[in-house]
Amino acid sequence: MEGNLASNALKKSIKVTVTGSNLLKLKEINMKMTKEARSCFEKKYGRILDLLFISVEKPVLSALVQFWSPSLRCFELLDFDLVPTIEEYEVMIRLPIRERVVVYLYEGRHVEEKKVARMIGISADEMKLEKRGSVQGLKKSFLETHLETLAKQGDWGCFNKTLALAIYGLVLFPFTPDLVDHATMDVFYQYETVGANPIPAILADTFISLEICQQKKGGMLRCCSHMLQVWIIAHIYDADYRCTMPDPLRSFHCIRLKKQEAWEWKKEFFNLDLRSFTWVCPWYFPEDIIVSCGDFPNVPLIGPRGCVAYTPAMALRQFKRTQIKPKDKQLGGLSFLYGGTHHFKLQAMMSWGNQGLLHLLITRSGEEKGGYKAISSKRIACNKEASEETIKTLELMNSQLEIMKAQMILLEEKKDRGDLDVITLKKRCRKMDIEIERLKDECADAYQGEGCGRKVKCRRDMGPRMTPSELKKKLEEQEGLMAEISQEKKELEARNQVQDIRLERLQGNVAEANRHADKGWEIAKKYHDLLVQAREKEEKLKSKIEELENPEICREGMVDQQRKD
């Protein structure tokens, strides 16, 4: 779309760390579950237990964050725009969202801890919360001890609830390492009591965390890193593992990830091409998709810590649909953290709670019925439909061509702005050079004293005389500022290079699309001419058949022919 985020691969990276907890003890406790308890767990909570066995490669996610576009809410690579979707996350953990489904809604405050205590089989007095800064929650070690006790007692009902709460806090909604905080308890409590689907909340946490990392130029990625990694790796390695990944989580071990540093992964993301990349994950089979919610042009995602909108129209290719340019009103949208009164928050809750979901439905054609007569009578109609389909395809190609032209114009405008920025920086550099030279002269004069009348006059004209240390400090500041301007100039030039590359590719794509469109119209015209000729021949054949079948018409025709002879 914009192309400027992809240039981050050529610039200095933002420093991002990935939050995470040691899950080894939970894996060991998981092995104590009976077959029946494990089956009940999966039936109720989906495949979240499998997330414990996904090894997170932090350099992968640290590199991926560099490409997040806060304005478009998608990962903006050089030739691809990708966004994690509700439908893909549904398939990962087997928790589908249906129409008028209940999803997590933040109700102004989080659940009371005593309600969660009763749910996992402990008293309110035993519920020991630990406070770390402004965050309060249950320690991982406390939950692990409680799980071991429940396993010995054979209380698999409370065991499953406690294990699910631990996975919610340490994997799905991680915020502070080794702590299940109040916000996570709220999501889990709503799932237990009303069946509130957590997937929109997981994506909300992910988008908000990515946005904060971009705004602060670094920080900690606090989201479900396990699912984010499975999602991006499935897209970029599908060509090599198409037949070996029927299940997103349980087949993930088939992919042998390279042991690379973050800068190496960043380079790999930047150089992605269609030979290894796929728009549709190998384990995802597109059906109905959520494109909007209530009166919103996009989909508001309500999380335990904030609310953010995402635009499924950016990801139509990920659903095996033709990508068209999203409307301006679909892009961006609300994004805020809780802590005040938000009018949009109430609207978002009403949209999910009352209005239901709007779907883009897939229509499927049925089987043809009838014998030869029925089939032969439909040939002309089928030809006509095929012709109309060809015209529709060509019209779609034209609309895509217009989109590409608009993108090219946008890139050209951005390139012009970048050139103007470079010129402005050069002027600033020249002014700073002059200022540095003046300060050097003033510094030299200060050391030499007031022996020369011309220099004394020069200093008097320039204002109060500065001490050598002050002059030296000011000179260092100016040189530092000069270095910053020079670095900014280099970054602008690198950004312009990336834009030139995208502009050149777009121009090639536009030219290719023009050639295809011209060829398509020629084929359509020939096809239409052949169709007209076929119809004329059919009319003639019909009239001859009628003459042969009707004896009177046949005799009249023979008499007319004899008279002419």
Side-chain angles (χ1 to χ4, degrees):
M1 287 283 179
E2 290 184 353
N4 60 329
L5 259 295
S7 64
N8 282 347
L10 301 178
K11 302 191 298 183
K12 185 173 69 173
S13 302
I14 60 175
K15 189 175 180 180
V16 176
T17 56
V18 181
T19 185
S21 303
N22 188 341
L23 304 175
L24 184 60
K25 188 72 177 288
L26 280 181
K27 293 179 187 177
E28 293 174 356
I29 295 171
N30 159 69
M31 302 307 294
K32 299 178 181 180
M33 295 176 71
T34 64
K35 187 176 180 180
E36 184 180 353
R38 192 182 303 277
S39 176
C40 291
F41 185 96
E42 184 174 323
K43 186 176 180 180
K44 184 174 182 179
Y45 301 105
R47 292 283 185 83
I48 64 173
L49 196 59
D50 295 339
L51 293 171
L52 293 176
F53 301 93
I54 300 295
S55 178
V56 175
E57 295 294 330
K58 295 182 179 180
V60 175
L61 300 179
S62 180
L64 185 63
V65 174
Q66 319 292 325
F67 297 93
W68 180 256
S69 170
S71 59
L72 298 178
R73 308 260 166 83
C74 71
F75 291 106
E76 192 180 1
L77 306 176
L78 185 62
D79 292 317
F80 313 104
D81 295 328
L82 280 177
V83 59
T85 66
I86 289 175
E87 289 75 15
E88 290 169 322
Y89 272 41
E90 283 176 2
V91 176
M92 277 195 224
I93 58 176
R94 301 292 198 270
L95 288 177
I97 292 180
R98 306 299 182 192
E99 192 170 359
R100 296 194 177 277
V101 73
V102 179
V103 297
Y104 170 76
L105 299 176
Y106 175 68
E107 298 175 349
R109 57 181 182 146
H110 294 134
V111 64
E112 297 176 3
E113 55 267 21
K114 62 182 180 181
K115 293 182 178 179
V116 179
R118 285 197 299 269
M119 191 172 286
I120 62 176
I122 60 175
S123 65
D125 295 333
E126 293 175 309
M127 188 91 160
K128 297 179 181 178
L129 299 180
E130 179 171 312
K131 190 170 184 180
R132 298 184 190 174
S134 60
V135 181
Q136 196 174 21
L138 288 169
K139 290 179 65 176
K140 176 172 73 77
S141 56
F142 173 82
L143 291 173
E144 289 170 347
T145 302
H146 184 53
L147 282 168
E148 289 178 329
T149 303
L150 292 171
K152 289 178 182 178
Q153 296 173 352
D155 188 352
W156 297 112
C158 286
F159 179 94
N160 282 354
K161 291 178 182 178
T162 307
L163 180 59
L165 176 61
I167 294 173
Y168 265 61
L170 303 175
V171 179
L172 296 180
F173 299 94
F175 192 78
T176 303
D178 298 333
L179 198 72
V180 179
D181 66 357
H182 241 133
T184 302
M185 293 183 203
D186 195 42
V187 183
F188 178 73
Y189 181 79
Q190 287 196 29
Y191 182 78
E192 280 288 329
T193 54
V194 296
N197 195 300
I199 289 175
I202 295 171
L203 280 175
D205 247 21
T206 302
F207 287 11
I208 288 172
S209 184
L210 288 166
E211 197 163 324
I212 290 173
C213 287
Q214 280 289 342
Q215 289 173 354
K216 293 185 176 181
K217 304 297 182 185
M220 184 172 285
L221 184 65
R222 306 174 190 269
C223 67
C224 185
S225 52
H226 299 70
M227 294 181 73
L228 186 60
Q229 175 177 288
V230 171
W231 171 80
I232 187 61
I233 294 300
H235 275 288
I236 66 175
Y237 282 131
D238 171 65
D240 298 328
Y241 296 91
R242 182 175 295 276
C243 299
T244 58
M245 288 191 65
D247 186 283
L249 300 181
R250 295 179 181 177
S251 303
F252 189 72
H253 68 277
C254 298
I255 297 179
R256 305 299 179 189
L257 292 182
K258 304 172 187 175
K259 295 294 181 181
Q260 299 184 129
E261 298 295 329
W263 67 269
E264 294 174 302
W265 277 109
K266 184 174 59 175
K267 185 177 179 182
E268 185 164 339
F269 289 144
F270 185 78
N271 293 323
L272 280 179
D273 56 43
L274 288 172
R275 287 175 295 181
S276 60
F277 175 83
T278 180
W279 287 110
V280 184
C281 289
W283 33 259
Y284 175 60
F285 301 97
E287 294 181 356
D288 299 350
I289 63 172
I290 301 170
V291 293
S292 64
C293 183
D295 295 329
F296 283 88
N298 44 30
V299 180
L301 301 172
I302 303 169
R305 300 176 181 89
C307 185
V308 64
Y310 102 108
T311 305
M314 291 285 298
L316 293 182
R317 279 174 290 198
Q318 292 170 230
F319 302 124
K320 271 192 177 178
R321 287 161 172 79
T322 302
Q323 183 67 55
I324 58 176
K325 183 180 179 181
K327 298 176 182 177
D328 292 339
K329 65 180 181 180
Q330 292 178 300
L331 300 175
L334 71 165
S335 175
F336 58 83
L337 296 174
Y338 301 139
T341 303
H342 300 285
H343 175 66
F344 278 109
K345 178 180 69 178
L346 299 177
Q347 283 190 349
M349 291 179 183
M350 290 175 64
S351 295
W352 280 102
N354 301 322
Q355 300 295 333
L357 304 178
L358 301 180
H359 288 76
L360 180 63
L361 300 177
I362 303 172
T363 57
R364 294 178 175 84
S365 59
E367 295 181 359
E368 292 287 348
K369 296 182 179 180
Y372 174 78
K373 184 177 180 181
I375 295 173
S376 61
S377 65
K378 293 180 181 178
R379 284 180 179 169
I380 297 298
C382 290
N383 288 336
K384 184 178 179 182
E385 289 174 4
S387 179
E388 290 175 354
E389 185 67 27
T390 304
I391 292 170
K392 286 180 182 178
T393 304
L394 291 170
E395 288 174 352
L396 182 60
M397 288 174 63
N398 278 338
S399 66
Q400 290 177 339
L401 183 61
E402 292 300 321
I403 293 170
M404 293 170 70
K405 287 179 179 178
Q407 289 177 346
M408 188 170 68
I409 291 170
L410 181 63
L411 280 173
E412 288 174 347
E413 290 175 355
K414 292 186 71 176
K415 183 177 181 298
D416 292 339
R417 288 198 298 271
D419 292 339
L420 185 61
D421 289 342
V422 170
I423 293 170
T424 305
L425 280 173
K426 286 180 179 178
K427 289 181 180 178
R428 286 179 62 189
C429 288
R430 284 197 293 270
K431 288 181 180 179
M432 295 303 299
D433 286 338
I434 295 170
E435 180 67 13
I436 288 171
E437 290 300 323
R438 186 185 70 77
L439 286 171
K440 284 181 178 178
D441 293 340
E442 187 176 348
C443 187
D445 291 345
Y447 279 114
Q448 290 175 4
E450 300 180 356
C452 178
R454 182 182 61 79
K455 291 182 179 179
V456 172
K457 184 176 183 302
C458 179
R459 281 194 298 271
R460 191 180 298 115
D461 292 340
M462 291 185 296
R465 194 177 73 179
M466 301 172 68
T467 62
S469 60
E470 290 175 342
L471 285 169
K472 185 176 180 183
K473 184 178 179 181
K474 190 170 182 180
L475 185 61
E476 288 174 352
E477 289 176 356
Q478 295 289 346
E479 288 176 346
L481 183 59
M482 189 68 181
E484 290 179 6
I485 293 172
S486 177
Q487 180 65 25
E488 190 176 347
K489 177 183 173 184
K490 290 178 181 178
E491 292 177 358
L492 275 171
E493 289 174 349
R495 193 181 305 164
N496 283 341
Q497 288 177 3
V498 174
Q499 290 172 358
D500 288 340
I501 293 171
R502 293 199 71 175
L503 183 60
E504 186 178 345
R505 291 185 180 180
L506 265 177
Q507 287 172 342
N509 290 340
V510 169
E512 186 68 20
N514 277 324
R515 286 194 295 272
H516 284 300
D518 293 341
K519 190 179 293 184
W521 281 113
E522 289 177 6
I523 293 170
K525 188 176 181 301
K526 289 179 181 178
Y527 191 83
H528 182 266
D529 293 342
L530 290 172
L531 188 60
V532 171
Q533 292 175 12
R535 286 176 180 172
E536 291 175 355
K537 289 180 179 179
E538 186 184 20
E539 291 297 328
K540 290 178 181 180
L541 284 171
K542 280 182 179 179
S543 62
K544 287 183 178 180
I545 290 170
E546 288 176 0
E547 289 176 3
L548 291 171
E549 288 178 348
N550 193 330
E552 293 182 0
I553 296 175
C554 186
R555 279 197 298 270
E556 289 175 2
M558 292 175 65
V559 170
D560 292 339
Q561 186 67 30
Q562 289 174 359
R563 288 175 181 174
K564 288 179 182 179
D565 294 338

